[in-house]
Amino acid sequence: RKEVEQDPGPFNVPEGATVAFNCTYSNSASQSFFWYRQDCRKEPKLLMSVYSSGNEDGRFTAQLNRASQYISLLIRDSKLSDSATYLCVVVGWAGGGNKLTFGTGTQLKVEL
Amino acid sequence: DTAVSQTPKYLVTQMGNDKSIKCEQNLGHDTMYWYKQDSKKFLKIMFSYNNKELIINETVPNRFSPKSPDKAHLNLHINSLELGDSAVYFCASSQDGRGLYNEQFFGPGTRLTVL
């Protein structure tokens, strides 16, 4: 079983749609969680951190369920510019420092 | 100003050659990383350095040798390149590798193709 699992997609949605991505992780000792975004042939960039209480940043809402080891990202009112791959990231201690473990990513395509 | 820069951006080479990739960050961060993203887009950490000291060393062939001359630079040397080494290599940095919510800033990547 992969440490961090995501549905690879692609999710093809019309502009204005609401779309949700899910992610599960296997290591219950994981300590912090993020969503990163990667555009085609570009580097990953931080989208948002994910906190236990859930958090929102504009049209983006992230949720964490530690008991189920599950993370979600909700995007409301999708824009064309949201088209990208969304990477679920789980952080755990690796002995000398914190290690980010990335999921394989979920591809989103927002269409007219 | 580019925060995390890598050179070269593209690298095409023959099997068996030795090559290096350089990375520099001007963010004043303490921790730097090397990641490999394979053809299936899976991004996996290889190494991490904190203030020039190796703190994370994943299961990577010893043909890969990182070197950090100072905390702003982390280079990656690869000996005896193999076809399977073809990938995009990303350098990244963060303020402190021990912080739980420290953002990692990635360089633009080096696309390595081994023929």
Side-chain angles (χ1 to χ4, degrees), chain A residues 31-34 36 38 41-44 46 49-51 91 93-94 96-100 102-104, chain B residues 10 33 35 37 40-43 45 55-56 58 90 97-104 106-108 111:
Chain A
Q31 297 174 296
S32 56
F33 309 89
F34 301 90
Y36 273 69
Q38 187 172 23
R41 300 181 77 86
K42 297 282 190 183
E43 71 272 21
L46 179 65
S49 305
V50 187
Y51 302 112
V91 181
W93 185 249
N98 282 316
K99 180 179 97 167
L100 270 61
F102 285 77
T104 47
Chain B
Y10 298 96
Y33 311 81
Y35 287 87
Q37 188 167 42
K40 294 183 180 170
K41 308 297 183 193
F42 183 51
L43 190 64
I45 190 166
I55 56 171
I56 293 174
E58 291 293 281
F90 286 103
R98 293 157 297 183
L100 284 178
Y101 280 97
N102 285 333
E103 178 179 354
Q104 287 195 12
F106 285 78
R111 189 170 295 272

Side-chain angles (χ1 to χ4, degrees), chain B residues 20 37 54 61 67 85 112:
Chain B
S20 291
Q37 188 167 42
L54 181 67
K67 212 163 267 191
D85 297 333
L112 171 65

Side-chain angles (χ1 to χ4, degrees), chain B residues 13-16 36 63 80-87 89 112-115:
Chain B
T13 188
Q14 300 281 343
M15 232 171 24
K36 177 180 179 181
R63 298 182 296 103
S80 304
L81 278 155
E82 299 177 357
L83 293 176
D85 297 333
S86 295
Y89 291 83
L112 171 65
T113 303
V114 182
L115 302 174

